[in-house]
């Protein structure tokens, strides 16, 4: 099972609450952020499961990398500088959609990802 760490944060401008998701769980870099549309931290916590189902990749549905135990194969969203692993997806189109939403220097590469880490190796297909 993929492990995320989530924190609810109050937006200073709107006084609304949003969710920051960190992956891997010990990361200091935000993996995804929800819109600031919750009235309270409790409401954000109650709605997190729906947010997670909508935007967080399910790494467990990806094929195992036969050459690396504990790694999965797919289309990753990455930024090289500074390094940020934005997720890995079974479908290249989904990865491209996520990369476009993240903006900047994100690209889609096929390869292998070590679950519960931000490790990724590009693989030629």
């Amino acid at each position: 099972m993929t492990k995320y760490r989530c924190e609810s944060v109050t937006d200073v401008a709107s006084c609304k609450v949003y969710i920051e998701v960190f992956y891997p769980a010990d990361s200091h870099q935000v993996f995804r952020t929800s819109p600031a549309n919750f009235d309270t931290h409790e409401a954000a916590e109650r709605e997190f499961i729906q947010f997670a189902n909508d935007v967080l990749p399910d790494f467990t549905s990806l094929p195992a990398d036969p050459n690396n135990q504990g790694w999965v194969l797919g289309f990753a969203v990455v930024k090289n500088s500074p390094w940020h692993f934005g997720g890995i997806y079974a479908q290249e189109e989904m990865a491209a959609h996520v990369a476009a939403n993240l903006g900047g220097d994100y690209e889609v590469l096929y390869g292998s990802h070590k679950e519960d880490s931000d490790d990724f190796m590009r693989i030629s297909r």
Side-chain angles (χ1 to χ4, degrees):
M1 168 177 259
T2 305
K3 297 175 184 145
Y4 297 98
R5 183 179 90 248
C6 302
E7 298 176 8
S8 58
V9 180
T10 301
D11 178 60
V12 177
S14 69
C15 294
K16 293 284 194 170
V17 177
Y18 61 94
I19 302 167
E20 289 185 334
V21 180
F22 298 85
Y23 176 83
D26 62 354
S27 177
H28 298 287
Q29 188 172 24
V30 175
F31 184 69
R32 294 284 187 282
T33 303
S34 76
N37 59 1
F38 303 105
D39 292 326
T40 65
H41 291 273
E42 293 77 14
E45 291 172 14
R46 281 193 306 271
E47 297 297 323
F48 169 72
I49 297 299
Q50 185 60 47
F51 171 71
N53 289 336
D54 290 346
V55 301
L56 299 178
D58 178 10
F59 302 138
T60 62
S61 67
L62 296 168
D65 182 340
N67 299 314
N68 296 300
Q69 184 176 9
W71 293 60
V72 294
L73 296 171
F75 296 92
V77 177
V78 297
K79 181 168 78 169
N80 282 317
S81 184
W83 172 254
H84 184 239
F85 176 76
I88 190 164
Y89 302 86
Q91 303 297 323
E92 187 173 13
E93 296 79 19
M94 177 58 93
H97 176 75
V98 170
N101 285 338
L102 291 174
D105 298 324
Y106 286 90
E107 60 183 324
V108 175
L109 302 172
Y110 183 79
S112 184
H113 164 63
K114 183 178 181 183
E115 291 187 73
D116 296 324
S117 78
D118 66 353
D119 296 348
F120 174 76
M121 293 186 303
R122 184 177 191 172
I123 297 174
S124 298
R125 291 181 55 180

